[in-house]
Amino acid sequence: MTPRHVAVLLRKDLQLLGPAVCATLAAAVALLIVMNRFKPAPPSVVVPFVLNLNMLVATMWSDWSISREKLKGTTAWIRTLPVDDGTVVAGKFIGQALASVALWTLTSVAALNGASMVGGPAAWFVAALSLSCFGAVCVSARLVFGQRIGGRSEEHTSELQSPYVI
């Protein structure tokens, strides 16, 4: 795994998912700005709301990024490249972490409106790290388990994807 390969995979993800991720970021920030404008709430109420919003979006992005790859056929194309599975997975994890931290940064700045978060900068950093880890778990689950894992019967459990097959 080389940093250059990971950067190329991140660039590919940015080209494929970038416009939609930017639209989601803009919509989340606009929602929080409008919310603060009409009904300001104390940070003890806003911070949990922003954390929940970020967790939902991280779940959505992880599922969506893998599904979109499979739908567009880029997964099959990536499998033909001379990169190992670890590089592909690292690219997905790093992309998810960057998107999660960007969303957390923008939404927490927009929502808190200059007020300090309970716990200070350390709590803010721990929340950003937690969101990145949660996104990584969601990406892992989506890579390991197929789209219809919940609908399979006992006789089809041997068809589960290997964690090394993307």
Side-chain angles (χ1 to χ4, degrees):
M1 173 176 17
T2 66
R4 182 175 167 272
H5 289 146
V6 173
V8 168
L9 291 172
L10 284 172
R11 191 170 2 144
K12 184 243 345 137
D13 279 347
L14 185 61
Q15 288 173 345
L16 186 65
L17 304 170
V21 168
C22 289
T24 306
L25 287 170
V29 170
L31 170 74
L32 291 170
I33 288 173
V34 168
M35 245 177 51
N36 273 342
R37 186 89 160 161
F38 289 112
K39 180 86 170 152
S44 62
V45 173
V46 175
V47 172
F49 174 75
V50 172
L51 273 170
N52 286 329
L53 176 71
N54 278 272
M55 288 184 74
L56 288 172
V57 172
T59 304
M60 178 194 71
W61 276 344
S62 63
D63 182 51
W64 184 53
S65 68
I66 305 299
S67 298
R68 185 127 171 127
E69 290 264 336
K70 291 179 180 179
L71 180 67
K72 292 285 189 180
T74 54
T75 301
W77 172 73
I78 287 173
R79 301 302 300 154
T80 65
L81 298 176
V83 294
D84 60 343
D85 293 338
T87 304
V88 175
V89 171
K92 283 292 176 196
F93 285 165
I94 292 170
Q96 173 68 24
L98 291 174
S100 293
V101 169
L103 180 67
W104 171 244
T105 302
L106 291 174
T107 55
S108 63
V109 166
L112 293 177
N113 235 4
S116 64
M117 187 169 132
V118 177
W124 185 92
F125 180 73
V126 168
L129 189 59
S130 298
L131 287 167
S132 297
C133 291
F134 178 72
V137 168
C138 292
V139 168
S140 298
R142 186 61 178 97
L143 284 172
V144 172
F145 302 115
Q147 181 76 14
R148 299 153 128 230
I149 188 71
R152 294 189 179 188
S153 63
E154 290 295 321
E155 66 221 30
H156 292 59
T157 54
S158 64
E159 294 178 10
L160 293 178
Q161 294 178 2
S162 165
Y164 303 106
V165 177
I166 296 174

